[in-house]
Amino acid sequence: MTLTAQNLVAWHDRDTASHVAERDKFADKGFRPLSLSIYGSPNDPRFAAVMVKRPQVIATRSFINMSQSEYQKVFEDQAKEGFGPFIITATGPKNGAIFAGSFRKWSNIPLTRSNLSKDEFMALNVQQHDAGKILIWADCFGTPSEPRYCAIWGPNPDKIAWNIDAVDEGGDKLQQRFEAMAGVGARPALLSVTPSNNIMEMFVDSHIG
């Protein structure tokens, strides 16, 4: 089933053909990707997506079902034309994952990493935070014993405060973190289920609606 509102459409649990058909149908009507998740087996992936129609339609390019080397090639080719990723998502183990994502025009291509360990992901978050950047998108894939992360960091002109200390967290600890963040006016901005059925969650102090 596809959920629709005036300027928003969403679907989930679609196979490749069904996802592409919906994506292209709504793209022709001026909708653009807002969220995308690829999950399940790399041999038979499923997709969940949200597309939005804004007053100003921007050019975007979407790619799915790519190996890591194929994603790297797409990244390099798109960067040559001034397009950088704003969504990246993956499913599967470290050496056999498949990737999907969307690209748009950037004045500077954002820092993008497609296959990080938990420690590498955490270290880059600290580095980029201290450099005045913000996490734009992230997803977790891999296996329970070896979670992997793909992520995009970009400019933070509004100097939004953010943290992503919860990278593979669940249970009471995650609930306590949520309540503490909500208590100081922060809200979840990015969320992904990890292979161990925990949560990766980013909080920001900005407001919507």
Side-chain angles (χ1 to χ4, degrees), residues 28-76:
D28 288 344
K29 297 178 181 180
F31 287 78
R32 294 295 181 262
L34 180 65
S35 178
L36 176 66
S37 176
I38 185 173
Y39 55 98
S41 166
N43 296 322
D44 187 22
R46 290 294 182 266
F47 295 86
V50 182
M51 297 182 74
V52 63
K53 187 174 185 179
R54 295 188 171 96
Q56 181 178 358
V57 178
I58 63 171
T60 63
R61 299 172 179 178
S62 296
F63 303 87
I64 62 171
N65 295 352
M66 298 174 289
S67 67
Q68 186 172 6
S69 61
E70 289 170 339
Y71 179 84
Q72 183 62 37
K73 179 66 165 54
V74 166
F75 178 90
E76 293 169 359

Side-chain angles (χ1 to χ4, degrees), residues 95-167:
N95 296 319
I98 60 170
F99 296 80
S102 295
F103 292 70
R104 66 172 176 83
K105 281 280 189 179
W106 289 85
S107 56
N108 293 291
I109 304 301
L111 177 67
T112 307
R113 295 291 182 267
S114 59
N115 204 331
L116 297 168
S117 69
K118 181 178 178 179
D119 288 344
E120 290 169 336
F121 178 59
M122 293 173 69
L124 267 174
N125 279 318
V126 171
Q127 179 195 86
Q128 292 298 296
H129 183 280
D130 291 349
K133 302 297 180 64
I134 190 169
L135 184 66
I136 296 171
W137 196 270
D139 193 18
C140 186
F141 58 104
T143 63
S145 61
E146 191 174 23
R148 308 297 294 182
Y149 297 81
C150 51
I152 305 166
W153 295 266
N156 187 12
D158 296 327
K159 302 187 185 305
I160 296 170
W162 63 280
N163 79 69
I164 187 165
D165 296 329
V167 296

Side-chain angles (χ1 to χ4, degrees), residues 165-182:
D165 296 329
V167 296
D168 192 8
E169 198 169 78
D172 292 341
K173 187 175 182 180
L174 181 64
Q175 183 62 32
Q176 290 166 4
R177 184 184 300 280
F178 176 86
E179 291 171 357
M181 291 291 97

